[in-house]
Amino acid sequence: MDSIAIYDTEEWRALERHYESARDLSLRQLLTGDSGKARVTNMHLEVGDLYFDYSRHLVTDETIDMLVRLAERAGLPGRISAMFSGAHINTTEDRPALHVALRMPDSESLIVDGVDVVRQVHEVLDKMGQLSDEIRSGSWLGYTGKPIRNIVNIGIGGSDLGPAMAYIALRDYAYPALEVRFVSNIDPIALWQAIHDLDPAETLFVVCSKTFTTLETLTNARKAREWLLEGLGATDEAVARHFIAVSTNEKEVARFGIDVSTMLGFWDWVGGRYSVDSAIGFSLMLAIGKEAFNDFLAGFRMVDEHFRTAPLNENIPAIQGMLNVWYNNFHGAQTHAVLPYGERLARFPAYLQQLTMESNGKSVRLDGTPVGLQTGEIFWGEPGTNGQHAFYQLLHQGTKLIPADIILFSEPARDLGDAHDALFANGLAQAAVLSLGKDASEVAAEGVAEAIVPHKVMPGNRPVTVIVANKLTPSVLGQLIAFYEHTVFVEGCIWGIDSFDQWGVELGKAMAARLTPLLAGDGGAQQERDNEVDAATACLIDLYRSQRGR
Ligand code: F6P
């Protein structure tokens, strides 16, 4: 990629011109008759277990060709190779973004900065497998000699969202004798809820933190340790049997007092939001077992291989990423809805929010100059059909264009007769209605009073990606995650930003650390405090202190 801004290229300008005619495309027309059938044949791809239908998008073959040329101009093929080879593509932190190495098979090797990272990955996977077998079989004993029955994962952001989402998604594969819970928020109720009814003698805390300095996680871990030691009537020597740390920071783990011999490590080249398939997924492995965890990794690998090798116009993460750029930058869409028709994916939109928004919510290019265009879409969503009875009204008849992903599974997680047919039919119906709509003449033909007709018109032309898999298995979940990871990468590459740093979260953390002591104790001298904070914050500190009787 040359250093020219992408919007200054001929490829971008060509798309701007193309948009002037493409904005009037009608999905209804495009999807009708023989040409509609040909379009669907042409605009679907199958990769691994994923069937990817992008026929319901406001594009023609020409649009896709032009988007491919744009991606090429942005240097996407070279950036993909750079990522897979371990180049330092996370430039602001001067490190690789090498989550793809987390799922490379042990028959491969990848030397990065003089080290075989695949060997390192498999050493940790083996250690995870061994510990997981011990804990699941009951041979790992707690301090009082009881086997572990409860796992409490403590972490936040990428150290929580991935394993928590995946645990819910794969609950049907989980070992029923282990209760697995997740705590992320520093709100004391979160930890209380997770542990108040557990027996400390049978409880293992998995403390996940890449840095091992994150306030929420360390606070919760400290409180958990107090609860444990008080409950067991024990001193610090009990901690080793009830705490396992997952981190890149051995020094801080030791300082916290967790046994480093059982620590599960990973590396600075794994971003938090890309870490569910690293040791951060240990609680998931405890739940589903090491074999199913391997299937999960194999799913990622299938999509990695496809992303690395398929031409851009047959490459599902590339196409989805390019379509997202098309809507974000040419149609002016601001948000993107993720609508899984599967209750087990209840936390998938939340997981994707960190993956997409922490990655691509950036305003400067790699060289530090202003990006000069709209970047990261706002991701949101809920499982269908719940969303249908809440926010779909706005999707259908609102004034905003919101591209949506509808994710469907042919097989139910649990079969309750015809209920699953109804679920699947609803997903299909929504995809059709969003894209095709219903015009005034059709509404009037139903005998609707003239004055009401405009209220019942469904504009349609809402773009939809439909993704279908046979069943939500560990492998399919891995495939879906890898698909979205690479989609984010494609967008970031076109925009010319660093999708792997997250400097924007730091200032708030530092400020919270400064404010905490001002809320507590005597709050410091009034003058000192007023110098420290702005007027609005000072006023709210006073309010809090008075409501807490301080
Ligand atoms: O605050 C954002 C963040 O740094 C995320 O990127 C990360 O996933 C999360 O905090 C947790 O960080 P850690 O794993 O170091 O505790």
Side-chain angles (χ1 to χ4, degrees), residues 156-159 208-212 214 217 272-273 354 358 502 505 509:
I156 197 164
S159 298
C208 292
S209 175
K210 179 174 171 178
T211 54
F212 230 78
T214 303
T217 301
R273 53 197 177 272
Q354 187 198 15
E358 203 171 74
Q502 58 284 318
V505 302
K509 289 183 194 174

Side-chain angles (χ1 to χ4, degrees), residues 199-230:
D199 175 358
E202 299 182 336
T203 300
L204 177 76
F205 293 95
V206 178
V207 184
C208 292
S209 175
K210 179 174 171 178
T211 54
F212 230 78
T213 56
T214 303
L215 174 78
E216 293 87 341
T217 301
L218 291 189
T219 305
N220 279 326
R222 257 194 305 276
K223 298 287 165 199
R225 180 169 59 190
E226 283 165 24
W227 171 83
L228 177 93
L229 298 182
E230 196 184 313

Side-chain angles (χ1 to χ4, degrees), residues 440-513:
S441 63
E442 288 167 313
V443 176
E446 289 173 349
V448 173
E450 208 182 319
I452 302 302
V453 168
H455 299 277
K456 291 199 160 188
V457 166
M458 303 282 284
N461 251 11
R462 274 50 176 159
V464 183
T465 297
V466 179
I467 298 172
V468 184
N470 186 34
K471 192 170 182 187
L472 183 55
T473 60
S475 168
V476 165
L477 183 64
Q479 293 171 50
L480 279 172
I481 297 172
F483 162 70
Y484 279 102
E485 284 178 351
H486 297 322
T487 295
V488 166
F489 178 75
V490 170
E491 294 171 31
C493 174
I494 293 175
W495 293 324
I497 58 177
D498 188 337
S499 298
F500 300 105
D501 62 14
Q502 58 284 318
W503 298 108
V505 302
E506 297 304 328
L507 186 57
K509 289 183 194 174
M511 179 103 170

Side-chain angles (χ1 to χ4, degrees), residues 397-435:
Q397 289 188 314
T399 52
K400 296 185 169 59
L401 181 77
I402 302 177
D405 300 344
I406 289 190
I407 304 172
L408 300 166
F409 300 99
S410 300
E411 294 274 342
R414 296 281 160 116
D415 202 351
L416 298 178
D418 52 7
H420 189 73
D421 292 348
L423 175 69
F424 199 94
N426 267 277
L428 291 184
Q430 293 299 327
V433 172
L434 282 164
S435 53

Side-chain angles (χ1 to χ4, degrees), residues 167-246:
Y167 171 66
I168 295 170
L170 301 176
R171 264 200 105 136
D172 302 291
Y173 297 81
Y175 181 42
L178 268 190
E179 172 74 21
V180 182
R181 298 181 181 177
F182 293 83
V183 181
S184 55
N185 203 329
I186 198 169
D187 184 336
I189 197 67
L191 181 67
W192 180 84
Q193 251 174 200
I195 60 177
H196 77 280
D197 56 347
L198 301 183
D199 175 358
E202 299 182 336
T203 300
L204 177 76
F205 293 95
V206 178
V207 184
C208 292
S209 175
K210 179 174 171 178
T211 54
F212 230 78
T213 56
T214 303
L215 174 78
E216 293 87 341
T217 301
L218 291 189
T219 305
N220 279 326
R222 257 194 305 276
K223 298 287 165 199
R225 180 169 59 190
E226 283 165 24
W227 171 83
L228 177 93
L229 298 182
E230 196 184 313
L232 295 180
T235 50
D236 278 350
E237 78 273 25
V239 171
R241 304 307 304 164
H242 294 271
F243 277 77
I244 286 180
V246 181

